[in-house]
Amino acid sequence: MSMLQDLAQDPAVGEVLSEEKTLSVIDLIFSGGTGSIVIIAILFVLLFVALYIYFERIFAIKAASKIDKDFMNQIRDHVTNGKLEAAKLLCAQTDSPVARLTEKGVSRIGKPLDDINTAIENAGTLEVYKLERNVSVLATVAGAAPMIGFLGTVIGMILAFHEMATSGGQAEMGSLASGIYTAMTTTVAGLIVGIIAYIGYNHLVNRTDKVVHKMEANAVEFLDLLNEPL
């Protein structure tokens, strides 16, 4: 116990412990040299792009999923009473994919049911495309970020082995630190960015599927309305 106390009281040991405690992420990044800084800068840009797309899409999908619960009931009343213009006006005043699909169907009333169904399907394809805009970029970031991090790992190890080779196998640990830091920090950074992008991508896909399901359910309800006897 006395030996541990003596070590703790030793100024040199205390200074080393203090340095270890104050070592920050920024210190790790800059200790890796130019290669580490460049690769982590690229990963930071990818992280910013992933977060921007995620939050932009999540708000857009949230807005698209909002619709008045009485919307289809009002459409049913207008169509049943032959007030097609009122139904179109209601759809135009409701900013949602469901309303736009319904408006497309109302505008085709009087034509064969297959034509109405085709028009709604085509409009639905366009709405799904709008919902999924830029979402594929998240999938790209989720796959590319870890690979970029591993690239930094390879570069760092090459630098470390090059230092050993040029020093005749007598390189000190201090001279190898730059390559090792590059290898470790870029790997961690790449995995973090990739995990965030992957989780964001899957969450957006799940939210989009729910909106698409709601669109399909309302399209079926509208077509059933047209098949009802007057």
Side-chain angles (χ1 to χ4, degrees), residues 33-220:
T34 304
S36 175
I37 295 173
V38 170
I39 290 177
I40 291 181
I42 295 173
L43 292 173
F44 179 79
V45 172
L46 291 179
L47 177 61
F48 175 80
V49 171
L51 291 176
Y52 173 81
I53 292 174
Y54 173 76
F55 286 108
E56 188 272 334
R57 284 292 86 200
I58 201 68
F59 287 126
I61 293 172
K62 185 177 181 180
S65 63
K66 289 182 178 179
I67 188 171
D68 187 358
K69 295 181 179 179
D70 294 330
F71 173 77
M72 288 306 298
N73 291 331
Q74 295 179 46
I75 292 295
R76 179 185 298 273
D77 292 338
H78 290 322
V79 172
T80 302
N81 295 324
K83 301 178 180 179
L84 299 184
E85 292 301 323
K88 292 179 183 179
L89 180 61
L90 177 61
C91 293
Q93 293 174 344
T94 306
D95 185 17
S96 72
V98 171
R100 286 189 284 272
L101 293 186
T102 305
E103 182 180 14
K104 187 67 66 174
V106 171
S107 64
R108 295 295 193 280
I109 290 179
K111 295 184 178 181
L113 193 60
D114 288 341
D115 292 346
I116 298 176
N117 187 28
T118 300
I120 292 177
E121 288 181 354
N122 292 336
T125 301
L126 180 60
E127 293 297 331
V128 172
Y129 173 78
K130 292 179 181 179
L131 291 174
E132 294 178 343
R133 185 179 58 185
N134 294 330
V135 174
S136 61
V137 176
L138 277 181
T140 302
V141 173
M147 295 176 66
I148 294 174
F150 291 145
L151 174 62
T153 301
V154 174
I155 293 175
M157 297 309 297
I158 289 174
L159 293 174
F161 283 114
H162 176 73
E163 184 65 28
M164 293 179 61
T166 56
S167 63
Q170 302 297 323
E172 298 180 356
M173 287 301 298
S175 62
L176 300 177
S178 177
I180 295 174
Y181 275 132
T182 300
M184 296 300 100
T185 56
T186 56
T187 300
V188 173
L191 289 174
I192 291 174
V193 175
I195 290 171
I196 292 174
Y198 182 74
I199 293 174
Y201 171 77
N202 281 282
H203 184 235
L204 289 179
V205 169
N206 183 54
R207 292 292 297 271
T208 301
D209 287 343
K210 290 182 180 180
V211 177
V212 171
H213 176 73
K214 184 180 295 186
M215 290 166 52
E216 292 175 346
N218 281 271
V220 170

